[in-house]
Amino acid sequence: MRERQYYAAVEGGGTKFNCAIIDAERNIIAEQRFPTSTPDETLGQVVDFFSQQKVKGHQFTSLGLGCFGPLDLNPDSLQFGYIANTPKPHWSNTPIMNILQDELGCSVSIDTDVNAAALAEYKWGAAKACDVAIYVTVGTGVGGGVIINGRPLHGLNHPEIGHMLIGEIEGIGGTCPFHGCCVEGLASGTSMKKIWKCSAESLQPDHEAWVVEAKVLARLCHNLMLSFSPQRIILGGGVMQQSSLLESIQHYLAQSLAGYITLPQHRSFQDIVVMPALKDKSGLLGALALAMEQ
């Protein structure tokens, strides 16, 4: 009888690290979340969790890490696998891949959290059979991952879709410390709280904030459609849980493109701009996909 194969998966976000042991059939065997505090504290908890899983018999040789960034993903770089210059306090220049490899004695495959989520949606979710697909998460920050012909896009480094410049919307300026009116500076949960003086989940459905949010994300989708010609744009993250937001984005996107793009027969923007089929597991299953490809 073949021995059961286990993989370690880490979804490292700006708010929390989600860790899991997952088998080859995508069954989650054990899972635990830790707040993203300092690297020493958070990564110490991650290492302890996986060490305990090994004691329980959940042996693994590969770990997939989908992490917030920016990351250095150049294999020829001396900082390969590092978190680079990030607005997240204490985390800049953290050699996260090396720490996990050394502490857990396993190989680690690293990519951005959004590239990982995009890969999972391509393999098992809303982007199956798509030549070009983009996953955007709208949460604490805004990030985007691009899959082209089944592979995550890296290029010079990796996409930083959340920092695409948008400009003021309805007279509202952005709060990004690097770029001001970029997508993240206008549409992330963090920026919404700064702009509207309350959390996104506290805003009423008819609040003007949601019109601004929809227009920002529609403008992002406009740019993505013209830049990458994706067959699917998947919008995930906590802010997207607002019930009417997706429909508003689709409406403003169609209005913005103004018929310039000819869609294939029987296709609409409702087919192209969608929610994740894997729901809140896209990131974690993306880390599994990274681990399985080693």
Side-chain angles (χ1 to χ4, degrees):
M1 185 175 178
R2 192 174 67 175
E3 186 176 349
R4 193 173 187 182
Q5 179 73 53
Y6 296 110
Y7 298 92
V10 179
E11 179 187 10
T15 302
K16 62 182 182 300
F17 270 58
N18 192 10
C19 304
I21 295 290
I22 309 177
D23 68 15
E25 285 71 47
R26 305 198 304 277
N27 299 304
I28 297 175
I29 309 304
E31 183 178 7
Q32 194 165 352
R33 292 177 174 84
F34 305 105
T36 306
S37 53
T38 64
D40 284 347
E41 181 177 12
T42 302
L43 296 182
Q45 291 173 315
V46 171
V47 168
D48 286 347
F49 169 78
F50 286 116
S51 297
Q52 292 167 15
Q53 294 307 310
K54 285 186 173 183
V55 171
K56 293 178 180 179
H58 301 145
Q59 299 294 327
F60 57 88
T61 59
S62 60
L63 181 150
L65 170 62
C67 188
F68 73 92
L71 302 174
D72 188 331
L73 297 178
N74 180 0
D76 297 325
S77 170
L78 294 176
Q79 283 77 44
F80 174 55
Y82 279 50
I83 296 175
N85 184 25
T86 176
K88 185 69 178 174
H90 314 298
W91 284 84
S92 293
N93 302 311
T94 298
I96 186 168
M97 184 182 76
N98 293 339
I99 290 171
L100 295 178
Q101 281 182 165
D102 294 345
E103 293 292 330
L104 293 171
C106 66
S107 61
V108 175
S109 180
I110 185 172
D111 210 325
T112 63
D113 50 355
V114 281
N115 261 353
L119 184 60
E121 289 289 337
Y122 168 78
K123 285 181 173 291
W124 305 302
K128 283 191 291 188
C130 291
D131 299 318
V132 181
I134 300 174
Y135 180 96
V136 178
T137 184
V138 188
T140 304
V142 177
V146 180
I147 299 294
I148 298 178
N149 296 327
R151 303 299 304 169
L153 177 64
H154 290 158
L156 180 67
N157 197 334
H158 57 75
E160 280 287 356
I161 286 169
H163 290 273
M164 188 180 290
L165 289 174
I166 295 295
E168 290 189 1
I169 299 284
E170 303 286 331
I172 301 297
T175 66
C176 173
F178 291 95
H179 309 117
C181 290
C182 62
V183 182
E184 183 168 289
L186 288 160
S188 70
T190 302
S191 293
M192 291 184 75
K193 189 170 184 178
K194 290 178 181 177
I195 292 168
W196 305 106
K197 311 305 180 188
C198 65
S199 63
E201 56 265 29
S202 301
L203 293 166
Q204 294 298 312
D206 59 351
H207 195 283
E208 65 174 317
W210 294 115
V211 174
V212 173
E213 186 77 4
K215 288 185 175 181
V216 171
L217 295 175
R219 189 171 292 186
L220 169 63
C221 291
H222 174 122
N223 293 338
L224 295 176
M225 290 293 297
L226 296 176
S227 300
F228 295 97
S229 193
Q231 291 132 321
R232 198 81 78 237
I233 298 174
I234 302 163
L235 301 179
V239 174
M240 286 302 304
Q241 299 308 306
Q242 205 282 334
S243 59
S244 63
L245 182 56
L246 179 66
E247 185 178 349
S248 295
I249 294 167
Q250 294 163 339
H251 166 76
Y252 288 123
L253 173 60
Q255 187 180 85
S256 174
L257 286 170
Y260 183 74
I261 291 179
T262 301
L263 298 180
Q265 192 174 15
H266 307 306
R267 296 293 303 280
S268 69
F269 290 115
Q270 284 73 24
D271 303 317
I272 295 169
V273 182
V274 301
M275 298 287 279
L278 301 176
K279 303 188 185 299
D280 63 348
K281 297 300 182 186
S282 299
L284 196 60
L285 292 176
L288 169 67
L290 294 175
M292 293 177 77
E293 290 191 349
Q294 294 183 40

